[in-house]
Amino acid sequence: MAIVDVVVIPVGTEGPSVSKYIAEIQTKLEAFKQEGKIDYQLTPMNTLIEGELSDLFEVVQAIHELPFDKGLDRVCTNIRIDDRRDKNRKMNDKLESVRKHLQ
């Protein structure tokens, strides 16, 4: 299981806010979650998505396309992949591992 840290940056919007684009991305991610392909967490600065690597690439491409579907001509998407293969760990497992050191 891999985790992707993704930031989709719509360029050329009518103003500085991009929250409506991010909301649409979250709706799309929920559809992928309902299919059983991923889990995800929205944060104030990015979205974390976990799943099989092949599914994650499909999901990233789908959410990258969404602002284009709304008429924008440019989208910048940053991704970072954590693909650990010696252990099957989820996002919350990683958080719990850090919390243990804080006690």
Side-chain angles (χ1 to χ4, degrees), residues 23-72:
E24 184 176 13
I25 287 168
Q26 298 305 301
T27 299
K28 185 69 166 181
L29 291 173
E30 185 61 28
F32 279 109
K33 181 177 181 174
Q34 293 304 315
E35 292 176 23
K37 288 189 171 188
I38 64 161
D39 195 8
Y40 68 96
Q41 290 180 354
L42 175 65
T43 80
M45 297 293 294
N46 64 359
T47 301
L48 301 172
I49 311 168
E50 70 181 11
E52 296 303 321
L53 192 57
S54 59
D55 291 333
L56 294 175
F57 284 127
E58 174 189 355
V59 170
V60 168
Q61 182 176 3
I63 64 174
H64 175 81
E65 291 293 329
L66 289 174
F68 289 116
D69 295 343
K70 294 294 184 191
L72 293 184

Side-chain angles (χ1 to χ4, degrees), residues 52-102:
E52 296 303 321
L53 192 57
S54 59
D55 291 333
L56 294 175
F57 284 127
E58 174 189 355
V59 170
V60 168
Q61 182 176 3
I63 64 174
H64 175 81
E65 291 293 329
L66 289 174
F68 289 116
D69 295 343
K70 294 294 184 191
L72 293 184
D73 292 323
R74 186 174 184 189
V75 176
C76 297
T77 298
N78 298 328
I79 62 171
R80 183 172 47 164
I81 301 168
D82 180 354
D83 187 8
R84 185 171 178 176
R85 299 195 177 172
D86 64 326
K87 291 183 179 182
N88 187 10
R89 299 180 68 187
K90 296 187 173 230
M91 292 181 284
N92 289 331
D93 296 333
K94 291 180 70 164
L95 294 174
E96 189 56 37
S97 180
V98 173
R99 287 183 186 118
K100 287 178 186 176
H101 293 286
L102 294 172

Side-chain angles (χ1 to χ4, degrees), residues 13-25:
T13 61
E14 63 278 357
S17 177
V18 295
S19 59
K20 71 178 185 181
Y21 296 97
I22 303 308
E24 184 176 13
I25 287 168

